[in-house]
Amino acid sequence: DIQMTQSPSSLSASVGDRVTITCRASQGIRNDLGWYQQKPGKAPKRLIYTASSLQSGVPSRFSGSGSGTEFTLTINSLQPEDFATYYCLQYNSYPRTFGQGTKVEIK
Amino acid sequence: EVQLVESGGGLVQPGGSLRLSCAASGFTFSDYWMSWVRQAPGKGLEWVANINQDGSEKYYVDSVKGRFTISRDNAKKSLFLQMNSLRAEDTAVYYCARTTHFDYWGQGTLVTVSS
């Protein structure tokens, strides 16, 4: 199974900050990775697919990068509505596996 | 507008069975792989199973193999998850998701396994 190691598990940031979340895959997954945002009591929402493609309707302050085993989600100029938990997901091989999640909290 | 609506969750005793449904609308259901993903209370997301467009390919996470069965009815635009021999650790919100890179998700249905 491919393990997805996501870091940090949580972070505190202020509105306007730049935030970076990392996912490392235990083996190469090309660019078969997505990033998801989840707010309490809600379904996950896709932000990024194929590692760096921005989902239609998602603000451009969100960006993704990486390929192979190292991936990054960056949020430029954090907004109040961005406080949530973020997950990466690899869909290169079975079983599909998620990172453990990163909770972004208000400082 | 793509919509996925899950139903069928509830309280079930350990060892019991439950069948979840997911009604799809707003897209050509038969063109897409579909998935079930679950989330235990206060925990992260876990992929459960996938099914291809005509139901001929199915994949499962090891922890549910032999107990859960994913299926679909393209005429009714519906996805199903038959869950047998349920355990306490199966307690979770179950989401269905359209599996073009998991682009659309339903709102989830809660399954509680408890005596």
Side-chain angles (χ1 to χ4, degrees), chain A residues 23-81:
Chain A
C23 259
R24 289 187 175 87
S26 59
Q27 57 188 272
I29 58 170
R30 302 183 305 184
N31 66 343
D32 298 330
L33 180 124
W35 289 98
Y36 299 81
Q37 177 193 66
Q38 189 180 34
K39 296 182 178 179
K42 300 294 186 182
K45 171 188 172 183
R46 189 175 74 168
L47 303 174
I48 301 287
Y49 60 99
T50 56
S52 59
S53 299
L54 187 68
Q55 171 72 24
S56 175
V58 172
S60 58
R61 62 180 179 273
F62 291 92
S63 64
S65 64
S67 182
T69 61
E70 187 108 359
F71 301 87
T72 300
L73 173 70
T74 300
I75 311 172
N76 284 304
S77 188
L78 197 67
Q79 296 300 299
E81 60 267 30

Side-chain angles (χ1 to χ4, degrees), chain A residues 36 38 43 46 89 91 94, chain B residues 39 50 95 100-103 106:
Chain A
Y36 299 81
Q38 189 180 34
R46 189 175 74 168
L89 164 66
Y91 37 78
Y94 288 104
Chain B
Q39 187 169 38
N50 264 10
Y95 297 100
T100 300
H101 307 156
F102 297 79
D103 55 355

